[in-house]
Amino acid sequence: MPNLLPSIKEVFSIVGILLSFIGLFLSIWIIIPAPIYPLLPLGVGAPEVCHWLLLFNATAFAFLLFRLPGNLLQYVALSISVVGIILSITPLLQIPTTQQQMQLAMEKQLGKDYLKPILEQKYFGRSHPFNIIDVFKGIHIDDVRYTPNIEFASPDGISLRLNIYRPPQVGKYPGIVVIHGGGWQSGSPESNADFSRYIAARGYTVFAITYRYAPAYKFPAQLNDVRSALTFIQQRATEYETDINRIAILGRSAGGQLAMLTAYQQNALPIRAVVSYYAPSNLAKGYREPPTPDPLNVRSVLEAFLGGTPDQVPDQYIKASPINYVNRPLPPTLLIHGGRDHIIQIIFPRTLFQSLQNSGNKAILLEIPWAEHAFDYIFNGASNQLALYHTERFLAWALQEKV
């Protein structure tokens, strides 16, 4: 047995070295933006699975400690595993301060006691902004009624469909229209289905809709499709157990832009509130000041959507930018954005938020400093837990029954 001990230690050493290098490679994307599109999932996902990366790096550290004293490579690997631990714990250490800032932002706009009347009639799924157990086991989602593939329009013979999520009990509920992202070129009503199920279980009828895609269809085809969906929902509100006087619209990325445009139109259908996750708001400025690095090639996406550059089709960029509609009374707006977003930079929601406030509109901006674009695709990640906690409270406040 004593003769076997060195070989076991050697195995621990080799495994520890390998784990340390892999851990550092995965953890580095918590602070380094993805330079090209194939690496974007690492940039999005690494901060959201930092808890797993922390365990991974700690395991590498423990394996290497078992072999000490060792050679130079082992000490280098040990140092690398320490760097990995520091990187992977960074988002977790920022959660308390970030939550405090979010809470203050909510209370500043809605009042310190905004939850009082809501708590008397509403059950929230998230009792705390962040739950460390949930990042490992997942967020619990109650059963809901699900009705998929309902055609709401067929412009140019293209069947546009929506999915409906409803609470288990038959009733009459506030409605939430959810618009998926995808650069106006992809996506489906099935995107972020966990969110739709979760919100429906909180007492809402959720309509997850789609629209025609660029480049085959240029703006405003997508906006017209969203409006067609709203008209369809209005006409069938009773059938779908929806209180048409309590409708909110929520979108992600390209869907957030469409959600804001829909709510901000002068002849908009009645919408009580709008929620925008990491959406563009000033498309001309976004074209002229793309992110660095730019893994999505923002300019090509905008050209496909609008039919050219800002110099070629300036009216398109003006009409498609939500920031150009904030000079009149608008529904309350909740903006949620990652501080490290390298698709839609954080300067854009900040500017929109300021413009909304300057024009006397109620707006809230919640920033998640470590988060990238599309952070909520990791549903149980720290970023989405914070976003979900405040989103459900904002919706409850905005859609509460008026006395």
Side-chain angles (χ1 to χ4, degrees):
M1 182 64 70
N3 293 332
L4 292 177
L5 193 56
S7 63
I8 293 175
K9 283 190 173 184
E10 196 65 35
V11 168
F12 269 69
S13 175
I14 293 170
V15 172
I17 291 169
L18 288 174
L19 290 180
S20 67
F21 279 92
I22 294 171
L24 180 64
F25 172 75
L26 296 174
S27 303
I28 200 72
W29 302 106
I30 293 173
I31 59 170
I32 294 181
I36 56 175
Y37 184 74
L39 293 175
L40 188 57
L42 287 174
V44 174
E48 309 311 323
V49 297
C50 64
H51 47 286
W52 289 111
L53 291 176
L54 178 59
L55 290 179
F56 191 96
N57 288 305
T59 300
F61 184 80
F63 270 59
L64 290 163
L65 275 183
F66 184 73
R67 184 62 179 88
L68 292 183
N71 56 36
L72 178 61
L73 181 58
Q74 288 172 261
Y75 284 107
V76 170
L78 196 66
S79 300
I80 286 174
S81 65
V82 170
V83 173
I85 289 171
I86 293 171
L87 290 174
S88 53
I89 204 172
T90 299
L92 297 174
L93 294 177
Q94 295 178 77
I95 290 174
T97 301
T98 301
Q99 161 53 19
Q100 186 179 34
Q101 292 170 345
M102 287 180 158
Q103 189 65 39
L104 289 173
M106 294 284 286
E107 292 177 353
K108 183 176 180 180
Q109 288 299 306
L110 307 183
K112 286 189 177 293
D113 298 326
Y114 81 96
L115 284 175
K116 242 182 189 175
I118 304 170
L119 289 173
E120 295 173 0
Q121 54 180 303
K122 193 78 183 171
Y123 162 69
F124 292 119
R126 308 293 299 164
S127 58
H128 295 87
F130 176 73
N131 186 326
I132 190 66
I133 296 175
D134 287 351
V135 298
F136 291 104
K137 74 171 187 176
I139 294 173
H140 175 72
I141 301 174
D142 296 315
D143 292 334
V144 297
R145 288 176 292 156
Y146 176 53
T147 310
N149 297 319
I150 299 173
E151 184 177 89
F152 66 85
S154 55
D156 293 341
I158 295 178
S159 179
L160 298 177
R161 298 178 178 271
L162 57 79
N163 297 339
I164 304 178
Y165 304 81
R166 285 175 282 184
Q169 303 81 19
V170 174
K172 185 178 182 181
Y173 302 101
I176 300 174
V177 178
V178 176
I179 312 173
H180 64 78
W184 304 283
Q185 298 181 42
S186 63
S188 76
E190 285 74 38
S191 301
N192 300 97
D194 283 344
F195 173 88
S196 296
R197 291 182 180 277
Y198 175 90
I199 290 294
R202 307 276 71 79
Y204 301 94
T205 298
V206 177
F207 300 89
I209 72 171
T210 192
Y211 44 86
R212 286 171 289 174
Y213 298 142
Y217 292 92
K218 305 291 190 292
F219 179 83
Q222 297 77 13
L223 179 60
N224 293 336
D225 294 342
V226 174
R227 292 172 64 81
S228 294
L230 283 170
T231 300
F232 177 88
I233 291 166
Q234 277 191 316
Q235 293 170 347
R236 292 160 179 79
T238 302
E239 177 185 352
Y240 297 139
E241 304 168 23
T242 304
D243 184 346
I244 203 61
N245 296 311
R246 294 194 289 159
I247 296 286
I249 188 165
L250 180 151
R252 297 173 174 86
S253 195
Q257 177 259 357
L258 294 173
M260 288 188 287
L261 278 187
T262 302
Y264 293 175
Q265 298 296 303
Q266 264 185 323
N267 57 344
L269 297 166
I271 294 173
R272 289 268 288 268
V274 56
V275 180
S276 168
Y277 278 51
Y278 44 84
S281 54
N282 187 333
L283 278 61
K285 187 170 177 137
Y287 186 95
R288 294 190 173 102
E289 300 176 18
T292 304
D294 183 7
L296 202 61
N297 193 351
V298 166
R299 286 177 172 168
S300 67
V301 172
L302 290 171
E303 288 177 21
F305 175 50
L306 299 171
T309 70
D311 293 329
Q312 293 169 335
V313 287
D315 287 347
Q316 282 283 80
Y317 280 80
I318 291 170
K319 292 175 182 176
S321 297
I323 199 167
N324 294 325
Y325 297 85
V326 303
N327 58 350
R328 56 177 176 267
L330 299 172
T333 300
L334 174 64
L335 306 168
I336 303 179
H337 216 92
R340 292 181 58 253
D341 196 318
H342 285 82
I343 305 298
I344 310 298
Q345 299 172 85
I346 189 64
I347 185 64
F348 294 105
R350 286 175 180 171
T351 304
L352 177 62
F353 168 70
Q354 196 61 55
S355 297
L356 285 164
Q357 287 212 312
N358 291 343
S359 58
N361 286 292
K362 197 174 288 293
I364 302 165
L365 173 59
L366 304 181
E367 297 184 23
I368 307 172
W370 62 82
E372 250 288 4
H373 197 77
F375 62 80
D376 59 325
Y377 275 83
I378 310 294
F379 189 67
N380 61 323
S383 300
N384 188 54
Q385 285 198 38
L386 294 175
L388 197 59
Y389 177 88
H390 292 289
T391 295
E392 66 171 322
R393 281 156 177 78
F394 174 80
L395 290 171
W397 168 83
L399 299 180
Q400 61 187 303
E401 290 191 82
K402 292 182 178 178
V403 180

